[in-house]
């Protein structure tokens, strides 16, 4: 069974930093682009960062220059370093494998992990 386990969230003041981790099953980690999604209250889940098996990265405009995605293929783990956090970054963050089709990105694993909540507030 494929597993996605996110951790590292918490409460942080505006301008602060957090580092999220996601441990994934090797069966998907070794062949798929991995992505970090977030879902704010009352909003749809959105993809904020992705990293290919070869470590090419891509970011949503809203986090570009502030967030950095990385992966450790030996540990089957993907990270999201979040700096200069803003209140609008408040959300539950999830990871998933990502596939690209028809001009859009789609999550691969239908069963999401529990996510890790991030709250940015003073």
């Amino acid at each position: 069974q494929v597993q996605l386990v996110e951790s590292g969230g918490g409460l942080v003041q505006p301008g602060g930093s957090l580092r999220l981790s996601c441990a994934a099953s090797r069966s998907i980690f070794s062949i798929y682009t991995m992505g970090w999604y977030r879902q704010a209250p009352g909003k749809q889940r959105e993809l904020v960062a992705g990293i290919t098996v070869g470590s090419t990265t891509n970011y949503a405009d809203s986090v570009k220059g502030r967030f950095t995605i990385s992966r450790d293929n030996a540990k089957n783990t993907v990270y999201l370093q979040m700096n200069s956090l803003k209140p609008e970054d408040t959300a539950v963050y999830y990871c998933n494998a990502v596939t690209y089709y028809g001009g859009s990105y789609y999550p691969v694993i239908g069963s999401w992990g529990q996510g890790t909540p991030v709250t940015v507030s003073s």
Side-chain angles (χ1 to χ4, degrees):
Q1 183 178 356
V2 175
Q3 286 191 317
L4 300 164
V5 181
E6 302 93 348
S7 62
L11 173 64
V12 63
Q13 292 186 343
S17 298
L18 282 175
R19 188 193 194 206
L20 309 184
S21 300
C22 169
S25 300
R26 180 170 180 78
S27 60
I28 61 166
F29 195 87
S30 61
I31 60 175
Y32 280 107
T33 291
M34 295 299 296
W36 279 100
Y37 290 79
R38 68 184 181 188
Q39 187 167 21
K43 294 188 176 180
Q44 287 190 332
R45 194 171 298 178
E46 62 172 344
L47 180 64
V48 297
I51 184 167
T52 67
V53 172
S55 294
T56 298
T57 59
N58 204 355
Y59 300 93
D61 288 343
S62 58
V63 306
K64 199 171 293 184
R66 300 188 297 120
F67 290 11
T68 302
I69 188 171
S70 61
R71 63 191 293 159
D72 185 333
N73 291 332
K75 296 181 178 180
N76 300 327
T77 300
V78 61
Y79 304 98
L80 187 67
Q81 178 66 44
M82 306 187 296
N83 299 328
S84 302
L85 282 162
K86 304 176 181 180
E88 51 263 44
D89 295 318
T90 295
V92 179
Y93 284 71
Y94 303 86
C95 70
N96 206 324
V98 178
T99 189
Y100 183 77
Y101 178 79
S104 297
Y105 290 95
Y106 297 92
V108 172
I109 308 304
S111 178
W112 293 82
Q114 82 286 354
T116 186
V118 171
T119 302
V120 184
S121 175
S122 55

mmCIF file of all heavy atoms in Angstrom, residues 74-107:
data_model
loop_
_atom_site.group_PDB
_atom_site.id
_atom_site.type_symbol
_atom_site.label_atom_id
_atom_site.label_comp_id
_atom_site.label_asym_id
_atom_site.label_seq_id
_atom_site.Cartn_x
_atom_site.Cartn_y
_atom_site.Cartn_z
ATOM 1 N N ALA A 74 17.546 8.671 -1.410
ATOM 2 C CA ALA A 74 17.961 7.550 -0.567
ATOM 3 C C ALA A 74 16.991 7.324 0.594
ATOM 4 O O ALA A 74 16.846 6.202 1.088
ATOM 5 C CB ALA A 74 19.368 7.791 -0.026
ATOM 6 N N LYS A 75 16.328 8.394 1.020
ATOM 7 C CA LYS A 75 15.391 8.305 2.149
ATOM 8 C C LYS A 75 13.938 8.325 1.701
ATOM 9 O O LYS A 75 13.038 8.305 2.554
ATOM 10 C CB LYS A 75 15.644 9.459 3.122
ATOM 11 C CG LYS A 75 17.008 9.429 3.787
ATOM 12 C CD LYS A 75 17.158 10.584 4.749
ATOM 13 C CE LYS A 75 18.509 10.551 5.457
ATOM 14 N NZ LYS A 75 18.677 11.688 6.410
ATOM 15 N N ASN A 76 13.699 8.392 0.396
ATOM 16 C CA ASN A 76 12.323 8.469 -0.123
ATOM 17 C C ASN A 76 11.555 9.608 0.547
ATOM 18 O O ASN A 76 10.381 9.454 0.918
ATOM 19 C CB ASN A 76 11.582 7.147 0.082
ATOM 20 C CG ASN A 76 12.259 5.995 -0.615
ATOM 21 O OD1 ASN A 76 12.856 6.162 -1.671
ATOM 22 N ND2 ASN A 76 12.187 4.815 -0.022
ATOM 23 N N THR A 77 12.205 10.739 0.698
ATOM 24 C CA THR A 77 11.628 11.863 1.418
ATOM 25 C C THR A 77 11.744 13.136 0.580
ATOM 26 O O THR A 77 12.775 13.383 -0.046
ATOM 27 C CB THR A 77 12.326 12.067 2.771
ATOM 28 O OG1 THR A 77 12.165 10.874 3.553
ATOM 29 C CG2 THR A 77 11.721 13.238 3.530
ATOM 30 N N VAL A 78 10.673 13.913 0.589
ATOM 31 C CA VAL A 78 10.666 15.210 -0.066
ATOM 32 C C VAL A 78 10.450 16.277 0.996
ATOM 33 O O VAL A 78 9.708 16.064 1.959
ATOM 34 C CB VAL A 78 9.595 15.278 -1.175
ATOM 35 C CG1 VAL A 78 8.192 15.057 -0.619
ATOM 36 C CG2 VAL A 78 9.681 16.570 -1.961
ATOM 37 N N TYR A 79 11.112 17.404 0.831
ATOM 38 C CA TYR A 79 11.077 18.492 1.810
ATOM 39 C C TYR A 79 10.528 19.761 1.177
ATOM 40 O O TYR A 79 10.597 19.960 -0.042
ATOM 41 C CB TYR A 79 12.491 18.779 2.330
ATOM 42 C CG TYR A 79 13.183 17.573 2.916
ATOM 43 C CD1 TYR A 79 14.088 16.825 2.153
ATOM 44 C CD2 TYR A 79 12.938 17.176 4.227
ATOM 45 C CE1 TYR A 79 14.725 15.717 2.682
ATOM 46 C CE2 TYR A 79 13.583 16.066 4.761
ATOM 47 C CZ TYR A 79 14.470 15.339 3.981
ATOM 48 O OH TYR A 79 15.087 14.241 4.515
ATOM 49 N N LEU A 80 10.001 20.623 2.041
ATOM 50 C CA LEU A 80 9.600 21.953 1.613
ATOM 51 C C LEU A 80 10.105 22.944 2.649
ATOM 52 O O LEU A 80 9.585 22.992 3.763
ATOM 53 C CB LEU A 80 8.080 22.067 1.452
ATOM 54 C CG LEU A 80 7.599 23.382 0.835
ATOM 55 C CD1 LEU A 80 8.045 23.473 -0.623
ATOM 56 C CD2 LEU A 80 6.078 23.501 0.928
ATOM 57 N N GLN A 81 11.128 23.701 2.283
ATOM 58 C CA GLN A 81 11.638 24.764 3.132
ATOM 59 C C GLN A 81 10.842 26.020 2.838
ATOM 60 O O GLN A 81 10.829 26.498 1.694
ATOM 61 C CB GLN A 81 13.125 25.001 2.862
ATOM 62 C CG GLN A 81 13.734 26.137 3.667
ATOM 63 C CD GLN A 81 13.771 25.850 5.149
ATOM 64 O OE1 GLN A 81 14.125 24.760 5.577
ATOM 65 N NE2 GLN A 81 13.413 26.839 5.954
ATOM 66 N N MET A 82 10.175 26.542 3.858
ATOM 67 C CA MET A 82 9.320 27.711 3.689
ATOM 68 C C MET A 82 9.903 28.873 4.480
ATOM 69 O O MET A 82 10.002 28.797 5.713
ATOM 70 C CB MET A 82 7.902 27.396 4.160
ATOM 71 C CG MET A 82 7.308 26.163 3.493
ATOM 72 S SD MET A 82 5.568 25.914 3.896
ATOM 73 C CE MET A 82 5.684 25.630 5.654
ATOM 74 N N ASN A 83 10.286 29.918 3.793
ATOM 75 C CA ASN A 83 10.836 31.114 4.419
ATOM 76 C C ASN A 83 9.923 32.312 4.160
ATOM 77 O O ASN A 83 9.056 32.262 3.287
ATOM 78 C CB ASN A 83 12.231 31.407 3.862
ATOM 79 C CG ASN A 83 13.224 30.304 4.127
ATOM 80 O OD1 ASN A 83 13.154 29.608 5.146
ATOM 81 N ND2 ASN A 83 14.171 30.120 3.216
ATOM 82 N N SER A 84 10.140 33.363 4.921
ATOM 83 C CA SER A 84 9.351 34.600 4.757
ATOM 84 C C SER A 84 7.858 34.295 4.714
ATOM 85 O O SER A 84 7.128 34.778 3.841
ATOM 86 C CB SER A 84 9.781 35.341 3.486
ATOM 87 O OG SER A 84 11.154 35.649 3.521
ATOM 88 N N LEU A 85 7.407 33.499 5.643
ATOM 89 C CA LEU A 85 6.013 33.060 5.639
ATOM 90 C C LEU A 85 5.058 34.218 5.861
ATOM 91 O O LEU A 85 5.352 35.174 6.600
ATOM 92 C CB LEU A 85 5.805 31.985 6.702
ATOM 93 C CG LEU A 85 6.317 30.603 6.283
ATOM 94 C CD1 LEU A 85 6.506 29.698 7.493
ATOM 95 C CD2 LEU A 85 5.352 29.960 5.291
ATOM 96 N N LYS A 86 3.902 34.116 5.207
ATOM 97 C CA LYS A 86 2.865 35.129 5.266
ATOM 98 C C LYS A 86 1.583 34.506 5.812
ATOM 99 O O LYS A 86 1.380 33.295 5.685
ATOM 100 C CB LYS A 86 2.587 35.668 3.867
ATOM 101 C CG LYS A 86 3.809 36.222 3.150
ATOM 102 C CD LYS A 86 3.446 36.636 1.721
ATOM 103 C CE LYS A 86 4.647 37.169 0.966
ATOM 104 N NZ LYS A 86 4.287 37.560 -0.424
ATOM 105 N N PRO A 87 0.689 35.313 6.368
ATOM 106 C CA PRO A 87 -0.586 34.760 6.857
ATOM 107 C C PRO A 87 -1.334 33.985 5.769
ATOM 108 O O PRO A 87 -2.003 32.991 6.067
ATOM 109 C CB PRO A 87 -1.347 36.001 7.302
ATOM 110 C CG PRO A 87 -0.274 36.963 7.708
ATOM 111 C CD PRO A 87 0.842 36.735 6.739
ATOM 112 N N GLU A 88 -1.210 34.402 4.526
ATOM 113 C CA GLU A 88 -1.907 33.704 3.442
ATOM 114 C C GLU A 88 -1.310 32.341 3.109
ATOM 115 O O GLU A 88 -1.857 31.599 2.291
ATOM 116 C CB GLU A 88 -1.969 34.568 2.177
ATOM 117 C CG GLU A 88 -0.642 35.143 1.737
ATOM 118 C CD GLU A 88 -0.430 36.567 2.222
ATOM 119 O OE1 GLU A 88 -0.726 36.852 3.411
ATOM 120 O OE2 GLU A 88 0.050 37.391 1.421
ATOM 121 N N ASP A 89 -0.187 31.997 3.726
ATOM 122 C CA ASP A 89 0.373 30.649 3.575
ATOM 123 C C ASP A 89 -0.291 29.657 4.534
ATOM 124 O O ASP A 89 -0.011 28.449 4.467
ATOM 125 C CB ASP A 89 1.881 30.660 3.836
ATOM 126 C CG ASP A 89 2.657 31.475 2.804
ATOM 127 O OD1 ASP A 89 2.333 31.360 1.610
ATOM 128 O OD2 ASP A 89 3.569 32.213 3.215
ATOM 129 N N THR A 90 -1.134 30.142 5.414
ATOM 130 C CA THR A 90 -1.830 29.269 6.353
ATOM 131 C C THR A 90 -2.687 28.251 5.606
ATOM 132 O O THR A 90 -3.522 28.618 4.777
ATOM 133 C CB THR A 90 -2.712 30.101 7.297
ATOM 134 O OG1 THR A 90 -1.868 30.926 8.100
ATOM 135 C CG2 THR A 90 -3.547 29.199 8.193
ATOM 136 N N ALA A 91 -2.449 26.980 5.870
ATOM 137 C CA ALA A 91 -3.143 25.906 5.161
ATOM 138 C C ALA A 91 -2.688 24.570 5.734
ATOM 139 O O ALA A 91 -1.733 24.510 6.516
ATOM 140 C CB ALA A 91 -2.830 25.952 3.664
ATOM 141 N N VAL A 92 -3.372 23.517 5.327
ATOM 142 C CA VAL A 92 -2.867 22.169 5.562
ATOM 143 C C VAL A 92 -2.054 21.779 4.325
ATOM 144 O O VAL A 92 -2.529 21.925 3.192
ATOM 145 C CB VAL A 92 -3.996 21.160 5.805
ATOM 146 C CG1 VAL A 92 -3.409 19.759 6.023
ATOM 147 C CG2 VAL A 92 -4.836 21.575 6.996
ATOM 148 N N TYR A 93 -0.836 21.313 4.555
ATOM 149 C CA TYR A 93 0.074 20.982 3.471
ATOM 150 C C TYR A 93 0.136 19.462 3.296
ATOM 151 O O TYR A 93 0.262 18.713 4.272
ATOM 152 C CB TYR A 93 1.457 21.550 3.756
ATOM 153 C CG TYR A 93 1.529 23.043 3.525
ATOM 154 C CD1 TYR A 93 0.903 23.932 4.385
ATOM 155 C CD2 TYR A 93 2.193 23.577 2.423
ATOM 156 C CE1 TYR A 93 0.933 25.304 4.163
ATOM 157 C CE2 TYR A 93 2.245 24.949 2.194
ATOM 158 C CZ TYR A 93 1.595 25.794 3.069
ATOM 159 O OH TYR A 93 1.639 27.157 2.832
ATOM 160 N N TYR A 94 0.067 19.044 2.038
ATOM 161 C CA TYR A 94 0.092 17.632 1.681
ATOM 162 C C TYR A 94 1.153 17.394 0.610
ATOM 163 O O TYR A 94 1.441 18.275 -0.195
ATOM 164 C CB TYR A 94 -1.251 17.199 1.076
ATOM 165 C CG TYR A 94 -2.465 17.434 1.927
ATOM 166 C CD1 TYR A 94 -3.132 18.660 1.920
ATOM 167 C CD2 TYR A 94 -2.987 16.416 2.729
ATOM 168 C CE1 TYR A 94 -4.260 18.872 2.685
ATOM 169 C CE2 TYR A 94 -4.116 16.617 3.496
ATOM 170 C CZ TYR A 94 -4.752 17.846 3.459
ATOM 171 O OH TYR A 94 -5.877 18.051 4.225
ATOM 172 N N CYS A 95 1.655 16.183 0.561
ATOM 173 C CA CYS A 95 2.507 15.813 -0.564
ATOM 174 C C CYS A 95 1.821 14.710 -1.359
ATOM 175 O O CYS A 95 0.903 14.036 -0.877
ATOM 176 C CB CYS A 95 3.890 15.357 -0.107
ATOM 177 S SG CYS A 95 3.909 13.776 0.751
ATOM 178 N N ASN A 96 2.226 14.562 -2.599
ATOM 179 C CA ASN A 96 1.708 13.512 -3.455
ATOM 180 C C ASN A 96 2.645 13.361 -4.645
ATOM 181 O O ASN A 96 3.428 14.271 -4.946
ATOM 182 C CB ASN A 96 0.300 13.855 -3.948
ATOM 183 C CG ASN A 96 -0.519 12.632 -4.290
ATOM 184 O OD1 ASN A 96 0.003 11.638 -4.803
ATOM 185 N ND2 ASN A 96 -1.803 12.675 -3.986
ATOM 186 N N ALA A 97 2.577 12.241 -5.289
ATOM 187 C CA ALA A 97 3.224 12.089 -6.583
ATOM 188 C C ALA A 97 2.405 12.872 -7.602
ATOM 189 O O ALA A 97 1.187 13.030 -7.450
ATOM 190 C CB ALA A 97 3.306 10.618 -6.959
ATOM 191 N N VAL A 98 3.058 13.366 -8.634
ATOM 192 C CA VAL A 98 2.415 14.264 -9.588
ATOM 193 C C VAL A 98 2.671 13.772 -11.006
ATOM 194 O O VAL A 98 3.769 13.337 -11.338
ATOM 195 C CB VAL A 98 2.965 15.695 -9.423
ATOM 196 C CG1 VAL A 98 2.335 16.631 -10.431
ATOM 197 C CG2 VAL A 98 2.712 16.209 -8.018
ATOM 198 N N THR A 99 1.636 13.862 -11.837
ATOM 199 C CA THR A 99 1.798 13.546 -13.243
ATOM 200 C C THR A 99 1.300 14.719 -14.074
ATOM 201 O O THR A 99 0.425 15.477 -13.638
ATOM 202 C CB THR A 99 1.051 12.253 -13.608
ATOM 203 O OG1 THR A 99 1.402 11.856 -14.938
ATOM 204 C CG2 THR A 99 -0.455 12.425 -13.522
ATOM 205 N N TYR A 100 1.881 14.885 -15.252
ATOM 206 C CA TYR A 100 1.559 16.021 -16.116
ATOM 207 C C TYR A 100 0.828 15.500 -17.343
ATOM 208 O O TYR A 100 1.286 14.576 -18.022
ATOM 209 C CB TYR A 100 2.844 16.727 -16.532
ATOM 210 C CG TYR A 100 2.639 17.959 -17.381
ATOM 211 C CD1 TYR A 100 2.237 19.154 -16.795
ATOM 212 C CD2 TYR A 100 2.867 17.934 -18.752
ATOM 213 C CE1 TYR A 100 2.063 20.297 -17.564
ATOM 214 C CE2 TYR A 100 2.689 19.067 -19.518
ATOM 215 C CZ TYR A 100 2.294 20.256 -18.919
ATOM 216 O OH TYR A 100 2.111 21.375 -19.673
ATOM 217 N N TYR A 101 -0.343 16.078 -17.615
ATOM 218 C CA TYR A 101 -1.151 15.624 -18.750
ATOM 219 C C TYR A 101 -1.996 16.763 -19.277
ATOM 220 O O TYR A 101 -2.679 17.447 -18.507
ATOM 221 C CB TYR A 101 -2.049 14.453 -18.316
ATOM 222 C CG TYR A 101 -2.951 13.955 -19.409
ATOM 223 C CD1 TYR A 101 -2.463 13.127 -20.403
ATOM 224 C CD2 TYR A 101 -4.295 14.326 -19.455
ATOM 225 C CE1 TYR A 101 -3.283 12.681 -21.422
ATOM 226 C CE2 TYR A 101 -5.122 13.886 -20.465
ATOM 227 C CZ TYR A 101 -4.618 13.061 -21.452
ATOM 228 O OH TYR A 101 -5.429 12.623 -22.458
ATOM 229 N N GLY A 102 -1.953 16.966 -20.575
ATOM 230 C CA GLY A 102 -2.821 17.948 -21.203
ATOM 231 C C GLY A 102 -2.636 19.368 -20.686
ATOM 232 O O GLY A 102 -3.585 20.159 -20.659
ATOM 233 N N GLY A 103 -1.414 19.696 -20.257
ATOM 234 C CA GLY A 103 -1.163 21.054 -19.815
ATOM 235 C C GLY A 103 -1.409 21.310 -18.345
ATOM 236 O O GLY A 103 -1.280 22.446 -17.879
ATOM 237 N N SER A 104 -1.788 20.269 -17.620
ATOM 238 C CA SER A 104 -2.043 20.428 -16.195
ATOM 239 C C SER A 104 -1.369 19.316 -15.397
ATOM 240 O O SER A 104 -1.052 18.263 -15.935
ATOM 241 C CB SER A 104 -3.555 20.393 -15.921
ATOM 242 O OG SER A 104 -4.214 21.473 -16.544
ATOM 243 N N TYR A 105 -1.178 19.603 -14.098
ATOM 244 C CA TYR A 105 -0.623 18.609 -13.189
ATOM 245 C C TYR A 105 -1.744 17.950 -12.405
ATOM 246 O O TYR A 105 -2.710 18.605 -12.022
ATOM 247 C CB TYR A 105 0.366 19.274 -12.229
ATOM 248 C CG TYR A 105 1.636 19.738 -12.887
ATOM 249 C CD1 TYR A 105 1.773 21.048 -13.334
ATOM 250 C CD2 TYR A 105 2.696 18.868 -13.078
ATOM 251 C CE1 TYR A 105 2.939 21.475 -13.946
ATOM 252 C CE2 TYR A 105 3.869 19.286 -13.683
ATOM 253 C CZ TYR A 105 3.981 20.583 -14.119
ATOM 254 O OH TYR A 105 5.139 21.004 -14.730
ATOM 255 N N TYR A 106 -1.583 16.660 -12.153
ATOM 256 C CA TYR A 106 -2.600 15.911 -11.422
ATOM 257 C C TYR A 106 -1.935 15.048 -10.357
ATOM 258 O O TYR A 106 -0.862 14.502 -10.573
ATOM 259 C CB TYR A 106 -3.395 15.007 -12.363
ATOM 260 C CG TYR A 106 -4.168 15.762 -13.404
ATOM 261 C CD1 TYR A 106 -3.606 16.032 -14.657
ATOM 262 C CD2 TYR A 106 -5.457 16.223 -13.142
ATOM 263 C CE1 TYR A 106 -4.314 16.734 -15.617
ATOM 264 C CE2 TYR A 106 -6.168 16.927 -14.101
ATOM 265 C CZ TYR A 106 -5.587 17.181 -15.330
ATOM 266 O OH TYR A 106 -6.289 17.886 -16.277
ATOM 267 N N PRO A 107 -2.590 14.908 -9.191
ATOM 268 C CA PRO A 107 -2.048 13.999 -8.175
ATOM 269 C C PRO A 107 -2.212 12.554 -8.616
ATOM 270 O O PRO A 107 -3.199 12.204 -9.261
ATOM 271 C CB PRO A 107 -2.891 14.309 -6.934
ATOM 272 C CG PRO A 107 -4.167 14.844 -7.473
ATOM 273 C CD PRO A 107 -3.824 15.564 -8.731
#
